[in-house]
Amino acid sequence: MNVHAGVPRAAPASGLAPELAGDLELREISKSFATVKALEAVSLFARPGELLAVTGPSGAGKSTLCRIIAGLEMPDHGVCRIAGKNVAAVPAGARRVAYMFESYALYPHLTVRQNVMSPLMAPNGRNSEAGGVDALLETLEIRHLAERLPAALSGGQKQRVALARTLVQKPAVTLLDEPISHLDAKLRHKLRNEIRRMVASRPSPTVWCTPDAMEALSVGDRIAVIEAGRIEQIGTPEQLWLQPASVRVARLVGDPPMNLLQGRVEFRDGGAHFMYGDLRVPLSASLAKAATLLGRDVSCVLGMRPNLVAVVPAGIPGAVAVELYSHEPFGKYAIVTARLGDMLIKAKTSGAVPAGIGATAGLILPASGFVLFDAASGNAVASDSVAARHPALEPEMP
Amino acid sequence: MASIRFDSVWKRYGSVTAVENLNLTCGEGEMLALLGPSGCGKSSTVKMAAGIEEVSAGEIFFGERPVSRLAPGARNIAMVFEDYALYPHLTVRENISFPLRIRGLPSSDVKARVDEVLDLLGLHPLADRGVKMLSGGAQQRISIGRALVRDPALILFDEPLSHLDADQKIHLRTEIKRLQKLRGVTSILVTHDQTEATAMADLIAVMNLGVLQQVATPHELYARPANTFVANFIGEPPMNLLPLRAHDGGLVLADAGWPLPLDGHRIKLAQGVRAAESMTAGIRPEHVTVERGARGPRQAIVRYCEPRGDVDVVVAAPLDHPGTTITAEVPGPAGYRAEDLVSIAFAAERIYMFAGADGRNLEVRP
C-alpha cells in the first residue's frame, strides 16, 4: 500500500465527499496478528471538534487503532464509521484521514515547506487549507527552517514538520500518533495548547495517541485508556483522576500515580476497615457498603492519591511508623517515599524533610478520598470522591 | 570516592566554543546535575570528565589530583548510559560481575560484592535471567548495579531515564537518588529534563550556550533564580515572564496595563534600576490565583485548561489583550473551560524582578 502521511489521493466514487464531516465511531473492533490479539472489541467515538486522547503503555494497541481508522489495516471484526459512513470498503487514500505517523515519514527530497504543502498539491488538495502555512510554521517554531531538507533537521524539528503537514489539511479525521514526544518541556506545553485550539474549531474529530497518561489528561476532552488491546476506561480527565475504573488506569494517571495497597477488608465494631499488616484504615459508609459486595474478608486494593498522604516526623500521634525510603524536592512540592512492610507509599507534600533516608518517620493517611479495587480483577468497586461533572465534556454515546 | 572540580575549563571545537571558562565543584558523595538545552555544553563537560574529550584549557581535579592528562581507563570512572549498554547474551549476575571479572578478582570476592549490589537494587529474583527480555527500567537498574559494583571514584549518569516509559521514570529516579545517597558515591548527572535534575541532584549547574548560568541546590534555583534563563528553565509549567512599563509612578504589565502589586522592598529594587532600562516581572504559575467572574483590575478570558489530576494548569489572556497569556496552576480538578471569564491575582511577596537588558535577578547579587 502506498499511502504517505495522510496525503489524499483522487477520491474514487466510494470515497468520502469533501463536505462530509461528523463523528468518528468504532464498534467492537477486533484485530489479531497471527496469534497475538492486538485489539479486542474496542468501541469508541469522537465528536466533531472533540479531541479524544488515547493512552496506554507501549504495545497496548494505540498505533493499530490508528492504522485501522486510516484504512492501513483491516479489522477482523467490527465497524469503523467516519462522518456516519461505514468505511470498510473505502480505501485508505479516499478516507480523508490526516495521519501523523510516529515515524514522521517525511519526503527526504522535499524542503520543509514543500513537505508541509504536499497534501495541498495532491489531486483533491483543494480540501486543504492553502493559506496559513507560514503562520502554522511560525506557531511550531520551524518557519526559519522552511527551505531546509529533512536531513538537516533534528528529531524534534522533523516531528514538527510532520505535525505541520498533518494540521494543514482539512480532513474528516485527524490522527496524531505521539505528536510531541521528542520536544522539550516548554515547547510541549505550548503545543499541547496550540494544537487543542486548532482542532477544537474543526468540523471533524481528532485522535491523539500518547504513552504519557499525563499528556493525555492535559490534551483530551475525553481520554480512552487502552491496555493489552482492551479499553480500560473512557472518561473526562476528572473521571480518570477521581474514579479510575481499574488499578491499570490508576497506575498510569498522576505524577506520581496513585498508591495501591494490597490488603483485605475486615468488618468489625459495626464498620469496615482496610487491613494491611498493622495498618488499619477505617472506610467510609459508601466504601464499606461496596466492600460487602466483595464478600467477607476478601483481598482488595486500596488506592490513595499521593497528594492526600503525609509523611511526618516519627512519634506524631495517629501516624503509622514507616521507613523513610527516598525524598525528592521539586521546589513547589516534594515527593517523599515511605516503606511500610514490602510496600512503597508516595506522598506529595510541601512540608520539610521529616527524617533522613533509612530513618523512621510517620505516615498519615487521609480520612477519605480512597478508591477500592477488587484484587482479583483489578476493577474499581467504589470511590469516595465524586467527579465534578461537565456536561459539555461528556457527550452521550450515540 | 573523591570530589570533582572543574578549574577554568574550556572546550573549543575549531572556532566554536562549547564550554567557556567553567568553574564548578561537586563535593565528595554528592550528585551534581548538568542541566540545559541541547548545545549548552553539558555533554562536552561530562566527556571531558570521563576523558573521552580532551580539555582545551584549564584542569579537572579528582580530589587534589589533576586528571586531564590521564587516559579514560586510569580515572576509575563508571558510566551509566541512556541505552543501558548491557551485554545482551549475559545474565543479570554476569553483567554486574563483568567489571570485576575482567580485573581478575577472586570469584569469592566477586560473588560477595555482586550479591551486595543485587540486594541493594532488589535484583536477586532476576539474578540468573537473561537481560534481553527485561523491562527498560530493570535493564537500567542492572547498568547502575554494574557501575556501583566497581566502587568507582565517580559515576557519570548520561540521560539515564530518557528511554523509559513515564511510570518507570518516576520509579527509577527515586531509586537512583536513594542508591546514590546510601552508597555516597560522587556522581554527575547529565540531563535536559529539569524534573529529573531536581528529583535526583544535590546541586544543579544550569548551562546555556557553553556558559554556566547558576549552580545551586534545587530549592535555591527554584526560590532564587539568577536570571530569566534559569527562571524559565526550572519549574513546570515555566515561570510567567512579563515585561513591565512605568505608569502613574508605579509599574504595570507592558501589554495588558495590569497593575502589579509590589511591596516596599520590590519598589526599592525597581527604583535602583536605571530609568532607561526595562524590567520584567517573573511570577510562577503556582503563585497566580484565579477566581471565576469579573472582579478587580485583572480580568482575563481562559484560553485553555490542562487538567493534571491534583492540579490544573489554566492559561488565560487579559481581556482586550489576547496577544499575551498568563499561566496559573490551581488546585484540581477545577473545571475551567475556554472562554470562561476569570479574575487574576498575584501574590506580592512572590514576584521576581529581573532587569530587562540582561535578565539578571535584581535580588541576586552576582
Side-chain angles (χ1 to χ4, degrees), chain B residues 233-246:
Chain B
F233 207 80
I234 299 283
E236 165 77 36
M239 184 186 279
N240 293 290
L241 292 173
L242 308 164
L244 301 177
R245 62 178 160 85

Side-chain angles (χ1 to χ4, degrees), chain A residues 121-201:
Chain A
M121 309 300 176
N124 58 352
R126 65 179 188 282
N127 305 328
S128 309
E129 220 163 82
V133 169
D134 279 343
L136 184 58
L137 295 180
E138 188 72 52
T139 300
L140 299 178
E141 298 180 17
I142 47 172
R143 191 169 170 183
H144 62 294
L145 306 172
E147 307 314 322
R148 287 210 199 162
L149 291 174
L153 301 178
S154 74
Q157 291 165 343
K158 283 182 197 162
Q159 189 163 40
R160 282 174 277 162
V161 178
L163 185 55
R165 188 176 56 183
T166 309
L167 292 175
V168 79
Q169 302 171 51
K170 276 189 174 167
V173 178
T174 304
L175 298 176
L176 305 172
D177 196 358
E178 300 199 23
I180 57 170
S181 55
H182 288 100
L183 310 180
D184 65 50
K186 240 170 79 183
L187 199 52
R188 283 206 303 270
H189 173 71
K190 175 185 165 187
L191 292 188
R192 281 199 298 265
N193 294 320
E194 293 293 347
I195 297 170
R196 259 179 87 186
R197 281 178 70 80
M198 279 184 227
V199 303
S201 56

Side-chain angles (χ1 to χ4, degrees), chain B residues 1-4 25-33 153-155 157 180-181 184-189 200-203 217:
Chain B
M1 295 301 152
S3 61
I4 174 167
T25 302
C26 175
E28 189 170 330
E30 292 190 335
M31 178 180 271
L32 169 75
L154 178 68
I155 299 186
F157 292 90
Q180 195 273 331
K181 281 283 149 282
V185 49
T186 312
S187 306
I188 294 182
L189 168 71
M200 293 188 275
D202 299 294
L203 281 179
T217 63

Side-chain angles (χ1 to χ4, degrees), chain A residues 7-169:
Chain A
V7 178
R9 294 183 298 189
S14 62
L16 282 172
E19 70 277 8
L20 262 185
D23 294 354
L24 164 72
E25 187 191 354
L26 303 185
R27 286 260 183 201
E28 302 280 314
I29 293 274
S30 294
K31 175 72 183 175
S32 295
F33 296 103
T35 57
V36 180
K37 283 185 178 167
L39 293 175
E40 253 191 286
V42 167
S43 295
L44 54 81
F45 72 95
R47 288 275 170 84
E50 188 181 25
L51 199 163
L52 178 74
V54 178
T55 190
S58 25
K62 304 185 293 294
S63 292
T64 304
L65 196 71
C66 287
R67 292 175 62 79
I68 285 175
I69 296 168
L72 301 176
E73 299 281 358
M74 294 309 289
D76 301 335
H77 302 282
V79 177
C80 174
R81 284 199 181 88
I82 296 176
K85 182 181 166 77
N86 183 339
V87 292
V90 182
R95 287 192 183 188
R96 293 184 45 240
V97 171
Y99 184 3
M100 177 185 169
F101 292 92
E102 196 188 340
S103 57
Y104 318 146
L106 301 181
Y107 299 106
H109 60 292
L110 298 184
T111 65
V112 166
R113 184 189 301 280
Q114 288 166 336
N115 261 288
V116 172
M117 301 277 284
S118 60
L120 313 187
M121 309 300 176
N124 58 352
R126 65 179 188 282
N127 305 328
S128 309
E129 220 163 82
V133 169
D134 279 343
L136 184 58
L137 295 180
E138 188 72 52
T139 300
L140 299 178
E141 298 180 17
I142 47 172
R143 191 169 170 183
H144 62 294
L145 306 172
E147 307 314 322
R148 287 210 199 162
L149 291 174
L153 301 178
S154 74
Q157 291 165 343
K158 283 182 197 162
Q159 189 163 40
R160 282 174 277 162
V161 178
L163 185 55
R165 188 176 56 183
T166 309
L167 292 175
V168 79
Q169 302 171 51

Side-chain angles (χ1 to χ4, degrees), chain A residues 57-58 183-186 188-190 192-194 196-197 211-215 217-220 237-238 241-242 251-257 307 323-333 335 337 339 344 346 348 357-358 388 390-393, chain B residues 37 120 165-167 170-171 173-175 177-178 181-182 192-196 198-201 218-219 222 232-233 235-238 285-287 292 302-313 315 327 329 332-339:
Chain A
S58 25
L183 310 180
D184 65 50
K186 240 170 79 183
R188 283 206 303 270
H189 173 71
K190 175 185 165 187
R192 281 199 298 265
N193 294 320
E194 293 293 347
R196 259 179 87 186
R197 281 178 70 80
D212 180 348
M214 295 309 285
E215 182 178 300
L217 221 60
S218 291
V219 298
E238 289 81 1
W241 172 249
L242 296 173
R251 263 190 213 114
L252 293 176
V253 176
D255 183 9
N307 61 322
E323 177 200 333
L324 196 131
Y325 186 81
S326 190
H327 176 259
E328 300 153 85
F330 286 94
K332 57 183 158 180
Y333 63 87
I335 296 174
T337 309
R339 175 146 68 185
L344 293 179
K346 286 185 189 288
K348 191 171 181 178
I357 290 175
H390 305 289
L393 296 175
Chain B
L120 195 64
D165 280 352
D167 55 333
I170 292 172
H171 178 67
R173 74 186 186 209
T174 308
E175 288 295 321
K177 164 109 186 193
R178 171 181 160 80
K181 281 283 149 282
L182 285 178
H192 67 280
D193 181 336
Q194 56 100 15
T195 308
E196 292 175 13
T198 310
M200 293 188 275
H219 182 262
Y222 172 82
N232 204 21
F233 207 80
E236 165 77 36
E286 55 272 31
H287 302 146
R292 282 176 205 282
V302 173
R303 282 172 62 106
Y304 24 72
C305 175
E306 288 190 352
R308 299 190 65 77
D310 53 351
V311 294
D312 284 358
V313 176
V315 178
T327 303
E329 189 179 81
Y336 287 104
R337 275 180 283 155
E339 310 307 327

